[in-house]
């Protein structure tokens, strides 16, 4: 008697239900961050986020929580990336003018980036608006502002100790001027002011803070 061959085991295996996880959380969070920076919180819908990340609503909720939680996670991601871009410039030893030039240049690189145009600063462009009615976001914004002021204060204090600035100079006041310049170029970059004009603004601000370059 001829024995019939059995069908391959794979053919009889039960089909798996559900879609495989076809997204990377870090990539999806980056897409959400870009969208929030471009449109802000209120103007960004869940459908927008779903389309940008390639995730349906249940997947978004499962990975990040609701829209507000995703916004906060996006803001945290933005601050981490901005901090990483500048931390070494603040740490390295160099003349104060050179340090400031590099810090502002790095900020401009961040603010002017974007596939559809300058994205500006998450803190200034969108988080500051949400801070009015949301205590948690307000605390994050204030912490970010204080962190930048502290870094600039340390920068100017070192310049005074190295004799680059007069002893009567107030590092805290100079730090606030430097931070204000950062915020100004963030707003102007979002309004599509050309980079050359922003660089001229930066140069003038540095001249005020540390003296005219000879």
């Amino acid at each position: 008697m001829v024995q019939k061959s059995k069908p391959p085991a794979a053919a009889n295996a039960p089909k798996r239900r559900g879609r495989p996880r076809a997204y990377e959380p870090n990539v999806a969070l980056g897409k959400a961050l870009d969208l929030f920076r471009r449109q802000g919180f209120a103007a960004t819908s869940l459908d927008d986020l779903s389309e940008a990340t390639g995730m349906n609503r249940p997947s978004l909720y499962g990975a990040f929580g609701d829209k507000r939680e995703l916004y906060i996670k996006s803001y945290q991601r933005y601050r981490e990336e901005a901090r990483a871009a500048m931390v070494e410039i603040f740490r390295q030893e160099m003349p104060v003018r050179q340090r400031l030039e590099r810090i502002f240049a790095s900020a401009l690189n961040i603010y002017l980036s974007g596939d559809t145009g300058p994205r500006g600063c998450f803190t200034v462009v969108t988080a500051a608006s949400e801070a009015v009615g949301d205590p948690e976001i307000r605390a994050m914004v204030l912490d970010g502002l204080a962190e930048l002021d502290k870094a600039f204060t340390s920068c100017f204090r070192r310049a005074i100790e190295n004799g680059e600035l007069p002893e009567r100079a107030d590092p805290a006041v100079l730090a606030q001027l430097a931070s204000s310049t950062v915020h100004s170029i963030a707003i102007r970059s979002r309004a599509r002011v050309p980079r050359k004009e922003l660089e001229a603004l930066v140069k003038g601000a540095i001249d005020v803070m540390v003296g005219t370059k000879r």
Side-chain angles (χ1 to χ4, degrees), residues 89 92 94 97-107:
I89 305 175
Q92 293 172 4
M94 65 184 77
R97 176 177 286 276
Q98 181 184 355
R99 187 189 308 280
L100 292 173
E101 288 172 346
R102 290 186 59 188
I103 290 168
F104 289 125
S106 180

Side-chain angles (χ1 to χ4, degrees), residues 14-177:
K15 293 183 180 179
R16 293 184 177 181
R17 294 183 178 180
R19 296 176 60 186
R21 185 170 174 170
Y23 64 89
E24 291 293 335
N26 278 337
V27 175
L29 184 58
K31 300 283 188 183
L33 168 57
D34 288 342
L35 192 59
F36 280 131
R37 283 181 71 181
R38 188 167 66 250
Q39 299 183 178
F41 178 78
T44 300
S45 68
L46 284 171
D47 287 339
D48 293 334
L49 290 166
S50 181
E51 181 179 355
T53 61
M55 300 167 62
N56 58 31
R57 289 194 184 193
S59 296
L60 280 172
Y61 284 123
F64 303 111
D66 61 18
K67 189 175 88 166
R68 177 180 172 277
E69 289 179 279
L70 178 52
Y71 180 85
I72 289 175
K73 287 182 172 69
S74 297
Y75 186 28
Q76 290 170 335
R77 166 81 167 265
Y78 170 82
R79 287 190 56 191
E80 290 168 1
E81 290 179 348
R83 185 185 298 114
M86 294 191 182
V87 65
E88 287 304 316
I89 305 175
F90 277 109
R91 286 179 179 172
Q92 293 172 4
E93 287 299 325
M94 65 184 77
V96 63
R97 176 177 286 276
Q98 181 184 355
R99 187 189 308 280
L100 292 173
E101 288 172 346
R102 290 186 59 188
I103 290 168
F104 289 125
S106 180
L108 283 175
N109 289 339
I110 294 171
Y111 301 155
L112 293 172
S113 64
D115 296 334
T116 59
R119 296 181 296 180
C121 170
F122 197 115
T123 297
V124 174
V125 173
T126 174
S129 298
E130 298 307 316
V132 175
D134 191 310
E136 184 176 358
I137 295 175
R138 179 163 62 249
M140 292 175 66
V141 169
L142 291 174
D143 180 68
L145 297 178
E147 182 179 37
L148 186 60
D149 285 346
K150 183 178 179 180
F152 274 126
T153 299
S154 177
C155 166
F156 288 115
R157 186 175 291 119
R158 276 184 286 174
I160 294 170
E161 292 170 352
N162 293 337
E164 297 178 87
L165 294 175
E167 292 185 4
R168 66 178 183 278
D170 189 329
V173 171
L174 290 172
Q176 290 174 345
L177 289 174

Side-chain angles (χ1 to χ4, degrees), residues 38 108 111-120 125 184-198:
R38 188 167 66 250
L108 283 175
Y111 301 155
L112 293 172
S113 64
D115 296 334
T116 59
R119 296 181 296 180
V125 173
S184 179
I185 61 176
I187 295 169
R188 293 167 188 265
S189 65
R190 184 61 183 262
R192 298 178 183 266
V193 172
R195 181 165 188 140
K196 285 188 177 181
E197 291 184 29
L198 297 173

Side-chain angles (χ1 to χ4, degrees), residues 97 101 104 181 185 196-213:
R97 176 177 286 276
E101 288 172 346
F104 289 125
T181 303
I185 61 176
K196 285 188 177 181
E197 291 184 29
L198 297 173
E199 289 173 343
L201 185 157
V202 164
K203 181 183 181 303
I206 293 175
D207 287 345
V208 170
M209 288 183 275
V210 304
T212 304
K213 187 176 181 180

